[in-house]
Amino acid sequence: MTGSQKALKVICIILIVISVLAILAGFAAFAGGMAIAGAGYAGAAADQETYALGAGLMFVLAVISIISGVVDLIIGILGVRGANNPDKIGPFFVIAIIGLVLAAIGVVFPLLTGSADFSSMPSTLVQLVILIVCVVLANNIRKLRQ
C-alpha cells in the first residue's frame, strides 16, 4: 500500500465518522423542530407563527445536514474502497471532483452575491481543502495503477 493510499484511507475514515455525526445531528435537529412545532401548537395564537418559522428553519437545517452527511458518507466509503483496491478508484475520483466543484461554488457564490456568512466560512474552506487533498491523492493512485 502506497503513502497516497494510506493517506486517502485515513482521510476517508475520518470523513465517514464526520458524516455519521452530521446525519445524527440532522436527526437531532429534526427532533428539535418537532419539539418547537409542538410547543407552538400549545402556545398562544400570536406566538404560533414564530414557533412555526422556528420549526421550519430546524426542518430545513435537518434536511441539509442529513443530505450532506449521506453524500459525505458515500464519498468516504468509495474513498476507502478505492484506497484498498486501486482498480476501483475511478468512481471515487469522479465523485471527489464533483464534490470539489460544489465546495468551490459554496465558497465563491456567497462572496459574489454579497451574502457571505463569515461564521460558517472556515468549515466551508476546510471542506474545500479536504476535497482538494482527496482529488490529488486519488489522482496519484490512478497514476500508480497505470
Side-chain angles (χ1 to χ4, degrees):
M1 186 174 267
T2 66
S4 293
Q5 287 174 285
K6 289 177 186 176
L8 182 62
K9 187 173 183 177
V10 168
I11 289 171
C12 287
I13 288 171
I14 292 169
L15 189 61
I16 289 170
V17 171
I18 291 171
S19 66
V20 169
L21 292 175
I23 292 169
L24 292 174
F27 284 120
F30 185 79
M34 292 297 288
I36 291 172
Y41 179 73
D47 294 335
Q48 286 183 351
E49 183 178 337
T50 304
Y51 283 111
L53 289 173
L57 178 62
M58 290 299 285
F59 292 142
V60 169
L61 292 175
V63 168
I64 290 171
S65 181
I66 292 169
I67 290 172
S68 174
V70 168
V71 169
D72 287 345
L73 183 64
I74 291 168
I75 290 172
I77 290 170
L78 289 176
V80 170
R81 186 181 89 160
N84 288 334
N85 185 355
D87 292 332
K88 296 182 179 182
I89 197 71
F92 171 76
F93 185 66
V94 170
I95 295 288
I97 289 175
I98 292 169
L100 178 61
V101 169
L102 292 175
I105 290 170
V107 169
V108 173
F109 185 72
L111 294 174
L112 294 177
T113 60
S115 62
D117 177 16
F118 294 105
S119 65
S120 65
M121 191 62 73
S123 65
T124 306
L125 290 174
V126 168
Q127 182 181 14
L128 182 67
V129 169
I130 288 172
L131 287 170
I132 289 170
V133 170
C134 285
V135 168
V136 169
L137 292 172
N139 192 41
N140 290 344
I141 295 169
R142 283 181 57 226
K143 286 180 182 177
L144 291 173
R145 182 182 64 159
Q146 296 170 354

